[in-house]
Amino acid sequence: MAGRKRQVEDAPIDLVSRIQRVEARLSPAERQVAAAVAADFEAATRLTIAELAGRAGVSQPSVTRFCRSVGCSSFADFKIRLATTLTVAAAYLKTDRVFSDDIGQLAQSVMMRAANAVRAALDQLDTAALGAAIEALAGARRIDIYGMGGGSASLVEDAKLRLFRLGVPVSAYVDGHQARMSAAVLQPGDAVLAISNSGRSRAIVEAVQIAGSFGAVTVALTRPGTPLAEAAAIVVPMVIAEDDNVLVPTPSRYAHMAVIDTIATGVAERLGARGREALRRVRYTVASIGVAIPTPSTDPTVLMRGRGVRE
Amino acid sequence: MAGRKRQVEDAPIDLVSRIQRVEARLSPAERQVAAAVAADFEAATRLTIAELAGRAGVSQPSVTRFCRSVGCSSFADFKIRLATTLTVAAAYLKTDRVFSDDIGQLAQSVMMRAANAVRAALDQLDTAALGAAIEALAGARRIDIYGMGGGSASLVEDAKLRLFRLGVPVSAYVDGHQARMSAAVLQPGDAVLAISNSGRSRAIVEAVQIAGSFGAVTVALTRPGTPLAEAAAIVVPMVIAEDDNVLVPTPSRYAHMAVIDTIATGVAERLGARGREALRRVRYTVASIGVAIPTPSTDPTVLMRGRGVRE
DNA sequence: CAAAATCCTGTAATTGGATTACAGGATATC
DNA sequence: GATATCCTGTAATCCAATTACAGGATTTTG
């Protein structure tokens, strides 16, 4: 099973967004499978390979190949992951509203982009790196947050507030000089969180290098393979396509914000009982939303529901 | 004892509670399977029959019999249902485990809350008001943005950048005094964008009132029925539940950001050909990736426009 | 423009997981 | 104590899924 033409990416958390993300790279037959799956996601979780192949009009091995291409180890794995994704998506992303006016369609476009960015972030999340980042920040005596450029400024501000509320001493800098100066007074036991989608801001990279040389743990939320990713000790990699057209809002902010929220929540948990209680409430809320899904049921004792009736 | 020993109940939606409920009626071997499954629900979704039988210390057919007893038609069916149940029920099932053991679970909770907030915003969007807001801001000679409180600061910053990039003269204030001072020098032809989830910040309300009294058009993105909503000429109503627990990230930021992005994009469109081209690209991008939501409904046109390239 | 290489995709074979059939054994009941 | 019933494992069978392979299409290069 060595040496496939297309590398198999790690197991996706959000399979639907993964399928969309790689669709362009799929072969024609595989794309037909993707279309067949997209035509009825729900059914795809119950079909056999032969049935799905029939719907897509391709051979059975093409279905298996499709599953591998979207990051699953087997068809069975694909079905499990799809079922999981669908449950989550059904609970959170369903909207029945149809917009007929221009403004409504505009809003829908923009917001779906935002939602997709969050899902894309979830899909490609390196949970190990994220765990390490949480660990590092939770254990820090003091945290410096660096971000540069217009887009990052508000993110940095947001991250600062997030961690500040947890009672962690935190400073945020969007200015290169100030960031470097602050980095120079860090000590072992301190931590840095650097945020940059491009990963190429020289000032941030230098500030991170300085902080590292003084013994601080450096965490970067950025694109892999960039100078910033090289400079930081812990990298949470995140590739979000940037539209270089300044008029179009970049959805990467949503992705970064979501990652930051996750980090903050993880740190909250690490900080003891108070944080854990908060976390429990997050989970409770999540589960409650699940309950809200309208579903014909025959069992009143059931606490939570997935999708409605099958078929 | 008439009839069959155990009737096969209908397909369960919440498999976990079903297992617990029927456990007393299971045979010893089946109960061992139940115990093995309960020991690690997550793993059970990936195991083969042989592996699960091994863990339970029973034969493979006993596993199949167990699946039937809990209402599933087959082992495969059991796995799919279990995976579905786990997704929704993760919060309850894992209460005893350290949550950060599974960063992915945490990320999924946090990020789906974010996506959900965006969806909620879209669902309740008042497109007429949004259109009026876009109209007002696009026609303004100068725009002041007001926001108050920790959560709004980064939003205001973000909105400022957004509009700034469109070439609109824009100022942002998160300080009450400064906001009021700035409002006092506004003139007819200027516009104010006030952002507040609570709508109760006295400083913002006053600033908006001042701006209005000097002839500026006032737009508020806030909760309806609040003082701020009363004070502003144009209100884009938005009700997002706030969790008052400061440790939990509030997803309302995502909703507000999405609305602001929509406004900014709409303004861009109004500002001429360049803006319109940008907008076309947004829509195109969305259309190509926007297949988005798996929905029980069979109507694929609900969520996406022009996804037609498929065949 | 021709030739070669690479990639795609279906057919066929094989593997192995899941189910069914069956029989031995335990338990309860009369 | 005998019988009937139910439980559970072994073995056989079936079928879904994967792998191997080859033919054909497309692209690249000389």
mmCIF file with all atom_site columns, all heavy atoms in Angstrom, chain B residues 23-38:
data_model
loop_
_atom_site.group_PDB
_atom_site.id
_atom_site.type_symbol
_atom_site.label_atom_id
_atom_site.label_alt_id
_atom_site.label_comp_id
_atom_site.label_asym_id
_atom_site.label_entity_id
_atom_site.label_seq_id
_atom_site.pdbx_PDB_ins_code
_atom_site.Cartn_x
_atom_site.Cartn_y
_atom_site.Cartn_z
_atom_site.occupancy
_atom_site.B_iso_or_equiv
_atom_site.pdbx_formal_charge
_atom_site.auth_seq_id
_atom_site.auth_comp_id
_atom_site.auth_asym_id
_atom_site.auth_atom_id
_atom_site.pdbx_PDB_model_num
ATOM 1   N N   . GLU B 1 23 ? -30.559 -3.528  29.204 1.00 0.00 ? 23 GLU B N   1
ATOM 2   C CA  . GLU B 1 23 ? -29.462 -4.347  29.717 1.00 0.00 ? 23 GLU B CA  1
ATOM 3   C C   . GLU B 1 23 ? -29.962 -5.468  30.624 1.00 0.00 ? 23 GLU B C   1
ATOM 4   O O   . GLU B 1 23 ? -29.451 -6.589  30.590 1.00 0.00 ? 23 GLU B O   1
ATOM 5   C CB  . GLU B 1 23 ? -28.462 -3.470  30.462 1.00 0.00 ? 23 GLU B CB  1
ATOM 6   C CG  . GLU B 1 23 ? -27.208 -4.238  30.857 1.00 0.00 ? 23 GLU B CG  1
ATOM 7   C CD  . GLU B 1 23 ? -26.059 -3.303  31.183 1.00 0.00 ? 23 GLU B CD  1
ATOM 8   O OE1 . GLU B 1 23 ? -26.332 -2.106  31.446 1.00 0.00 ? 23 GLU B OE1 1
ATOM 9   O OE2 . GLU B 1 23 ? -24.911 -3.761  31.176 1.00 0.00 ? 23 GLU B OE2 1
ATOM 10  N N   . ALA B 1 24 ? -30.934 -5.154  31.431 1.00 0.00 ? 24 ALA B N   1
ATOM 11  C CA  . ALA B 1 24 ? -31.437 -6.145  32.380 1.00 0.00 ? 24 ALA B CA  1
ATOM 12  C C   . ALA B 1 24 ? -32.029 -7.361  31.662 1.00 0.00 ? 24 ALA B C   1
ATOM 13  O O   . ALA B 1 24 ? -32.027 -8.469  32.197 1.00 0.00 ? 24 ALA B O   1
ATOM 14  C CB  . ALA B 1 24 ? -32.497 -5.514  33.283 1.00 0.00 ? 24 ALA B CB  1
ATOM 15  N N   . ARG B 1 25 ? -32.505 -7.138  30.500 1.00 0.00 ? 25 ARG B N   1
ATOM 16  C CA  . ARG B 1 25 ? -33.148 -8.237  29.772 1.00 0.00 ? 25 ARG B CA  1
ATOM 17  C C   . ARG B 1 25 ? -32.167 -9.007  28.886 1.00 0.00 ? 25 ARG B C   1
ATOM 18  O O   . ARG B 1 25 ? -32.573 -9.921  28.175 1.00 0.00 ? 25 ARG B O   1
ATOM 19  C CB  . ARG B 1 25 ? -34.282 -7.683  28.896 1.00 0.00 ? 25 ARG B CB  1
ATOM 20  C CG  . ARG B 1 25 ? -35.475 -7.167  29.695 1.00 0.00 ? 25 ARG B CG  1
ATOM 21  C CD  . ARG B 1 25 ? -36.685 -6.981  28.818 1.00 0.00 ? 25 ARG B CD  1
ATOM 22  N NE  . ARG B 1 25 ? -36.538 -5.859  27.906 1.00 0.00 ? 25 ARG B NE  1
ATOM 23  C CZ  . ARG B 1 25 ? -36.835 -4.588  28.231 1.00 0.00 ? 25 ARG B CZ  1
ATOM 24  N NH1 . ARG B 1 25 ? -37.270 -4.317  29.449 1.00 0.00 ? 25 ARG B NH1 1
ATOM 25  N NH2 . ARG B 1 25 ? -36.687 -3.619  27.360 1.00 0.00 ? 25 ARG B NH2 1
ATOM 26  N N   . LEU B 1 26 ? -30.940 -8.608  28.893 1.00 0.00 ? 26 LEU B N   1
ATOM 27  C CA  . LEU B 1 26 ? -29.962 -9.279  28.030 1.00 0.00 ? 26 LEU B CA  1
ATOM 28  C C   . LEU B 1 26 ? -29.479 -10.571 28.658 1.00 0.00 ? 26 LEU B C   1
ATOM 29  O O   . LEU B 1 26 ? -29.500 -10.737 29.877 1.00 0.00 ? 26 LEU B O   1
ATOM 30  C CB  . LEU B 1 26 ? -28.757 -8.365  27.785 1.00 0.00 ? 26 LEU B CB  1
ATOM 31  C CG  . LEU B 1 26 ? -29.018 -7.082  26.996 1.00 0.00 ? 26 LEU B CG  1
ATOM 32  C CD1 . LEU B 1 26 ? -27.755 -6.240  26.919 1.00 0.00 ? 26 LEU B CD1 1
ATOM 33  C CD2 . LEU B 1 26 ? -29.536 -7.409  25.608 1.00 0.00 ? 26 LEU B CD2 1
ATOM 34  N N   . SER B 1 27 ? -29.047 -11.449 27.826 1.00 0.00 ? 27 SER B N   1
ATOM 35  C CA  . SER B 1 27 ? -28.442 -12.682 28.336 1.00 0.00 ? 27 SER B CA  1
ATOM 36  C C   . SER B 1 27 ? -27.033 -12.371 28.836 1.00 0.00 ? 27 SER B C   1
ATOM 37  O O   . SER B 1 27 ? -26.480 -11.331 28.500 1.00 0.00 ? 27 SER B O   1
ATOM 38  C CB  . SER B 1 27 ? -28.377 -13.720 27.216 1.00 0.00 ? 27 SER B CB  1
ATOM 39  O OG  . SER B 1 27 ? -27.409 -13.328 26.267 1.00 0.00 ? 27 SER B OG  1
ATOM 40  N N   . PRO B 1 28 ? -26.478 -13.266 29.643 1.00 0.00 ? 28 PRO B N   1
ATOM 41  C CA  . PRO B 1 28 ? -25.150 -13.004 30.217 1.00 0.00 ? 28 PRO B CA  1
ATOM 42  C C   . PRO B 1 28 ? -24.106 -12.650 29.171 1.00 0.00 ? 28 PRO B C   1
ATOM 43  O O   . PRO B 1 28 ? -23.372 -11.670 29.349 1.00 0.00 ? 28 PRO B O   1
ATOM 44  C CB  . PRO B 1 28 ? -24.822 -14.334 30.902 1.00 0.00 ? 28 PRO B CB  1
ATOM 45  C CG  . PRO B 1 28 ? -26.148 -14.885 31.271 1.00 0.00 ? 28 PRO B CG  1
ATOM 46  C CD  . PRO B 1 28 ? -27.092 -14.472 30.174 1.00 0.00 ? 28 PRO B CD  1
ATOM 47  N N   . ALA B 1 29 ? -24.046 -13.414 28.111 1.00 0.00 ? 29 ALA B N   1
ATOM 48  C CA  . ALA B 1 29 ? -23.040 -13.123 27.092 1.00 0.00 ? 29 ALA B CA  1
ATOM 49  C C   . ALA B 1 29 ? -23.276 -11.757 26.465 1.00 0.00 ? 29 ALA B C   1
ATOM 50  O O   . ALA B 1 29 ? -22.349 -10.975 26.242 1.00 0.00 ? 29 ALA B O   1
ATOM 51  C CB  . ALA B 1 29 ? -23.069 -14.207 26.009 1.00 0.00 ? 29 ALA B CB  1
ATOM 52  N N   . GLU B 1 30 ? -24.524 -11.456 26.214 1.00 0.00 ? 30 GLU B N   1
ATOM 53  C CA  . GLU B 1 30 ? -24.829 -10.156 25.627 1.00 0.00 ? 30 GLU B CA  1
ATOM 54  C C   . GLU B 1 30 ? -24.482 -9.026  26.591 1.00 0.00 ? 30 GLU B C   1
ATOM 55  O O   . GLU B 1 30 ? -24.026 -7.969  26.179 1.00 0.00 ? 30 GLU B O   1
ATOM 56  C CB  . GLU B 1 30 ? -26.317 -10.100 25.255 1.00 0.00 ? 30 GLU B CB  1
ATOM 57  C CG  . GLU B 1 30 ? -26.666 -10.966 24.051 1.00 0.00 ? 30 GLU B CG  1
ATOM 58  C CD  . GLU B 1 30 ? -28.158 -11.031 23.807 1.00 0.00 ? 30 GLU B CD  1
ATOM 59  O OE1 . GLU B 1 30 ? -28.930 -10.676 24.716 1.00 0.00 ? 30 GLU B OE1 1
ATOM 60  O OE2 . GLU B 1 30 ? -28.540 -11.450 22.708 1.00 0.00 ? 30 GLU B OE2 1
ATOM 61  N N   . ARG B 1 31 ? -24.669 -9.294  27.866 1.00 0.00 ? 31 ARG B N   1
ATOM 62  C CA  . ARG B 1 31 ? -24.350 -8.263  28.844 1.00 0.00 ? 31 ARG B CA  1
ATOM 63  C C   . ARG B 1 31 ? -22.852 -7.993  28.861 1.00 0.00 ? 31 ARG B C   1
ATOM 64  O O   . ARG B 1 31 ? -22.422 -6.863  29.078 1.00 0.00 ? 31 ARG B O   1
ATOM 65  C CB  . ARG B 1 31 ? -24.833 -8.700  30.232 1.00 0.00 ? 31 ARG B CB  1
ATOM 66  C CG  . ARG B 1 31 ? -25.333 -7.537  31.062 1.00 0.00 ? 31 ARG B CG  1
ATOM 67  C CD  . ARG B 1 31 ? -26.104 -8.018  32.258 1.00 0.00 ? 31 ARG B CD  1
ATOM 68  N NE  . ARG B 1 31 ? -27.284 -8.787  31.856 1.00 0.00 ? 31 ARG B NE  1
ATOM 69  C CZ  . ARG B 1 31 ? -27.937 -9.615  32.659 1.00 0.00 ? 31 ARG B CZ  1
ATOM 70  N NH1 . ARG B 1 31 ? -27.511 -9.799  33.904 1.00 0.00 ? 31 ARG B NH1 1
ATOM 71  N NH2 . ARG B 1 31 ? -28.987 -10.260 32.225 1.00 0.00 ? 31 ARG B NH2 1
ATOM 72  N N   . GLN B 1 32 ? -22.107 -9.066  28.624 1.00 0.00 ? 32 GLN B N   1
ATOM 73  C CA  . GLN B 1 32 ? -20.663 -8.859  28.545 1.00 0.00 ? 32 GLN B CA  1
ATOM 74  C C   . GLN B 1 32 ? -20.308 -7.971  27.355 1.00 0.00 ? 32 GLN B C   1
ATOM 75  O O   . GLN B 1 32 ? -19.419 -7.131  27.432 1.00 0.00 ? 32 GLN B O   1
ATOM 76  C CB  . GLN B 1 32 ? -19.947 -10.212 28.406 1.00 0.00 ? 32 GLN B CB  1
ATOM 77  C CG  . GLN B 1 32 ? -19.791 -10.937 29.731 1.00 0.00 ? 32 GLN B CG  1
ATOM 78  C CD  . GLN B 1 32 ? -19.072 -12.260 29.530 1.00 0.00 ? 32 GLN B CD  1
ATOM 79  O OE1 . GLN B 1 32 ? -19.704 -13.298 29.379 1.00 0.00 ? 32 GLN B OE1 1
ATOM 80  N NE2 . GLN B 1 32 ? -17.748 -12.217 29.501 1.00 0.00 ? 32 GLN B NE2 1
ATOM 81  N N   . VAL B 1 33 ? -21.027 -8.173  26.271 1.00 0.00 ? 33 VAL B N   1
ATOM 82  C CA  . VAL B 1 33 ? -20.793 -7.317  25.107 1.00 0.00 ? 33 VAL B CA  1
ATOM 83  C C   . VAL B 1 33 ? -21.135 -5.882  25.461 1.00 0.00 ? 33 VAL B C   1
ATOM 84  O O   . VAL B 1 33 ? -20.384 -4.950  25.153 1.00 0.00 ? 33 VAL B O   1
ATOM 85  C CB  . VAL B 1 33 ? -21.634 -7.790  23.901 1.00 0.00 ? 33 VAL B CB  1
ATOM 86  C CG1 . VAL B 1 33 ? -21.445 -6.846  22.720 1.00 0.00 ? 33 VAL B CG1 1
ATOM 87  C CG2 . VAL B 1 33 ? -21.252 -9.204  23.521 1.00 0.00 ? 33 VAL B CG2 1
ATOM 88  N N   . ALA B 1 34 ? -22.263 -5.713  26.115 1.00 0.00 ? 34 ALA B N   1
ATOM 89  C CA  . ALA B 1 34 ? -22.674 -4.363  26.504 1.00 0.00 ? 34 ALA B CA  1
ATOM 90  C C   . ALA B 1 34 ? -21.602 -3.709  27.360 1.00 0.00 ? 34 ALA B C   1
ATOM 91  O O   . ALA B 1 34 ? -21.282 -2.528  27.188 1.00 0.00 ? 34 ALA B O   1
ATOM 92  C CB  . ALA B 1 34 ? -24.002 -4.416  27.259 1.00 0.00 ? 34 ALA B CB  1
ATOM 93  N N   . ALA B 1 35 ? -21.036 -4.492  28.268 1.00 0.00 ? 35 ALA B N   1
ATOM 94  C CA  . ALA B 1 35 ? -19.994 -3.949  29.140 1.00 0.00 ? 35 ALA B CA  1
ATOM 95  C C   . ALA B 1 35 ? -18.772 -3.557  28.320 1.00 0.00 ? 35 ALA B C   1
ATOM 96  O O   . ALA B 1 35 ? -18.166 -2.500  28.551 1.00 0.00 ? 35 ALA B O   1
ATOM 97  C CB  . ALA B 1 35 ? -19.630 -4.972  30.209 1.00 0.00 ? 35 ALA B CB  1
ATOM 98  N N   . ALA B 1 36 ? -18.421 -4.410  27.372 1.00 0.00 ? 36 ALA B N   1
ATOM 99  C CA  . ALA B 1 36 ? -17.259 -4.117  26.542 1.00 0.00 ? 36 ALA B CA  1
ATOM 100 C C   . ALA B 1 36 ? -17.488 -2.852  25.721 1.00 0.00 ? 36 ALA B C   1
ATOM 101 O O   . ALA B 1 36 ? -16.587 -2.028  25.551 1.00 0.00 ? 36 ALA B O   1
ATOM 102 C CB  . ALA B 1 36 ? -16.967 -5.302  25.617 1.00 0.00 ? 36 ALA B CB  1
ATOM 103 N N   . VAL B 1 37 ? -18.690 -2.703  25.238 1.00 0.00 ? 37 VAL B N   1
ATOM 104 C CA  . VAL B 1 37 ? -19.017 -1.506  24.470 1.00 0.00 ? 37 VAL B CA  1
ATOM 105 C C   . VAL B 1 37 ? -18.975 -0.280  25.374 1.00 0.00 ? 37 VAL B C   1
ATOM 106 O O   . VAL B 1 37 ? -18.389 0.751   25.042 1.00 0.00 ? 37 VAL B O   1
ATOM 107 C CB  . VAL B 1 37 ? -20.415 -1.630  23.824 1.00 0.00 ? 37 VAL B CB  1
ATOM 108 C CG1 . VAL B 1 37 ? -20.855 -0.300  23.226 1.00 0.00 ? 37 VAL B CG1 1
ATOM 109 C CG2 . VAL B 1 37 ? -20.393 -2.700  22.750 1.00 0.00 ? 37 VAL B CG2 1
ATOM 110 N N   . ALA B 1 38 ? -19.565 -0.419  26.540 1.00 0.00 ? 38 ALA B N   1
ATOM 111 C CA  . ALA B 1 38 ? -19.626 0.712   27.459 1.00 0.00 ? 38 ALA B CA  1
ATOM 112 C C   . ALA B 1 38 ? -18.241 1.125   27.942 1.00 0.00 ? 38 ALA B C   1
ATOM 113 O O   . ALA B 1 38 ? -18.014 2.280   28.273 1.00 0.00 ? 38 ALA B O   1
ATOM 114 C CB  . ALA B 1 38 ? -20.519 0.375   28.658 1.00 0.00 ? 38 ALA B CB  1
#
